[in-house]
Amino acid sequence: MQPPEPTLRLRVDREALTHNWRTLDRLSGLATAGAAIKADCYGLGVDACVPALRDAGCQSFFVAHWSEVEAVLAHVPPEQVAVLHGPVHGEDVVFAKAAGVRPVLNSLEQIRRWTGQSGGPCHLMIDTGINRLGIAPEELTDPAVAELDVDILMSHLANADEESATNALQLETFARCQSRVSHRRASLANSAGVALGRDYAFNLTRPGLALYGGVPRSELSGKIKQVAYLEAAIIQARTLKPGDAVGYNGQFIAQTEMRVGTVSLGYGDGFLRSRGLGGALRRGQARLPILGKVSMDMVVVDLSAAPHTKEGDWLDVPFDLSNAAQQSSLSQYELLTVLGSRWHRN
Ligand SMILES: *Cc1c(COP(=O)(O)O)cnc(C)c1O
């Protein structure tokens, strides 16, 4: 039996997503933009986002885990899918070959694991300073590297969202590596890297955050559109008397009689406690302050500014990522990826 309509809904604005990809593709100059789609498109949903990116013209998609591949293959051809974590186990190689997707090789061990099972087209990550994944530039002289059929030679910027001397250093190191291994495409920039300028774009850029409405650098503000729109329903309306305390630990105490609404939205839905402090939901133009602590499945809001709202009515959950990040001191990345599975995604 189909469950009834949920009390949380997440709308992905496909036009905004298309606009953001096209904008990042244009800002990439002669390079083309791919898309980081790991963590279920940063929480927004592969089924909602990948078809729009594909139809906009995107042909390179990056996931982190092997477990993320299957959902993506419903929408795009396997040779367009890259798995960033690489083949850590022999069975990852078997899976990559069976599915036809391309591993990103991150270490000499991964390279040997890949070539040991006859290899094929792959991507190669070089570590130029983030010290997370990738082989060291010195390791490029290893004979195992020369055997590879490298499609994308890539590296990842550590500080692209800041003014930092390491951006130019990473760029220089990566540029020097290019001549040491044959490859079809080179790729360095994430979303913030796209804003650093055309030098950083090489053949392919890999934006993630900015596709989904995040603004990691001021150069992108005004150019990127909000993609995710969230709504939560009131599941009970009540009237507080002076002295009534709301929620766990009674952190809000009513001073006067007031109408409040209990809303189906909590930290189980990625609305973390830090979003409650000083935060508000909206009903049209009316601002409805959050009262007391955010619970796992609920928050309580002051309905004074929208006195006619009732059980079942929908409230807007503000999700301009820059503003929400400022209000909550969470990163824009965290705000997206914590959303969870209870949202009804269109
Ligand atoms: C996540 C990721 C990206 C996308 O980064 P954003 O900052 O979200 O644009 C690009 N490349 C790699 C290797 C990544 O892990």
Side-chain angles (χ1 to χ4, degrees):
M1 198 165 69
Q2 277 285 103
E5 214 198 312
T7 48
L8 280 172
R9 56 193 188 200
L10 188 168
R11 181 172 67 83
V12 170
D13 181 338
R14 291 188 185 207
E15 270 174 44
L17 181 58
T18 300
H19 164 92
N20 291 346
W21 185 81
R22 291 203 173 124
T23 298
L24 292 157
D25 187 56
R26 196 174 59 245
L27 293 173
S28 301
L30 294 177
T32 175
I37 57 165
K38 58 202 182 190
D40 201 23
C41 289
Y42 290 44
L44 299 188
V46 160
D47 292 337
C49 298
V50 172
L53 293 166
R54 175 200 63 206
D55 295 346
C58 182
Q59 298 190 345
S60 300
F61 299 89
F62 297 86
V63 296
H65 288 244
W66 296 99
S67 61
E68 298 181 297
V69 165
E70 192 184 351
V72 178
L73 291 185
H75 307 292
V76 302
E79 66 276 11
Q80 297 185 358
V81 180
V83 181
L84 290 162
H85 283 189
V88 176
H89 300 111
E91 53 185 301
D92 300 339
V93 175
V94 174
F95 179 86
K97 296 205 167 232
V101 299
R102 300 195 174 165
V104 177
L105 304 178
N106 293 300
S107 65
L108 290 175
E109 287 89 329
Q110 290 190 3
I111 290 171
R112 289 188 202 107
R113 197 169 287 123
W114 182 246
T115 51
Q117 294 185 55
S118 80
C122 62
H123 309 307
L124 181 62
M125 176 69 84
I126 303 173
D127 179 66
T128 55
I130 193 168
N131 284 302
R132 238 172 35 170
L133 288 177
I135 66 170
E138 307 81 72
E139 291 176 315
L140 287 174
T141 54
D142 192 291
V145 174
E147 282 179 47
L148 294 174
D149 176 6
V150 179
D151 176 2
I152 306 171
L153 184 70
M154 66 175 96
S155 189
H156 192 53
L157 296 165
N159 304 309
D161 59 346
E162 306 178 285
E163 294 316 317
S164 164
T166 62
N167 291 327
L169 286 177
Q170 285 194 271
L171 172 64
E172 201 185 298
T173 306
F174 184 62
R176 261 191 284 114
C177 290
Q178 269 199 289
S179 60
R180 295 200 218 148
V181 49
S182 74
H183 58 280
R184 291 194 272 289
R185 299 179 281 171
S187 175
L188 177 64
N190 61 348
S191 302
V194 171
L196 289 177
R198 306 249 164 121
D199 288 353
Y200 287 79
F202 294 88
N203 306 114
L204 174 72
T205 58
R206 305 186 307 269
L209 182 73
L211 294 173
Y212 310 110
V215 178
R217 284 186 68 98
S218 59
E219 293 90 336
L220 294 177
S221 79
K223 296 183 172 144
I224 295 298
K225 292 187 178 171
Q226 181 172 339
V227 169
Y229 290 84
L230 311 183
E231 290 176 288
I234 296 180
I235 52 177
Q236 192 177 117
R238 59 201 302 121
T239 301
L240 302 180
K241 297 186 296 298
D244 282 350
V246 172
Y248 289 120
N249 314 112
Q251 286 198 341
F252 175 81
I253 295 169
Q255 303 301 307
T256 56
E257 190 173 283
M258 64 191 290
R259 216 169 113 75
V260 303
T262 302
V263 183
S264 168
L265 171 71
Y267 56 78
D269 310 300
F271 195 81
L272 304 189
R273 283 211 162 145
S274 59
R275 293 207 69 194
L277 305 167
L281 306 185
R282 290 194 173 262
R283 172 85 175 166
Q285 292 307 303
R287 185 175 186 276
L288 311 177
I290 290 163
L291 308 176
K293 281 188 179 173
V294 174
S295 300
M296 190 183 296
D297 320 303
M298 285 169 269
V299 291
V300 175
V301 296
D302 181 354
L303 293 179
S304 306
H308 303 297
T309 45
K310 57 187 189 310
E311 217 171 275
D313 284 349
W314 290 94
L315 304 183
D316 296 317
V317 182
F319 211 59
D320 172 292
L321 290 170
S322 300
N323 290 342
Q326 253 170 15
Q327 178 266 320
S328 62
S329 52
L330 296 166
S331 75
Q332 297 180 52
Y333 296 87
E334 291 168 302
L335 286 163
L336 283 163
T337 54
V338 294
L339 285 169
S341 58
R342 291 195 294 199
W343 297 89
H344 178 76
R345 290 164 167 83
N346 69 324

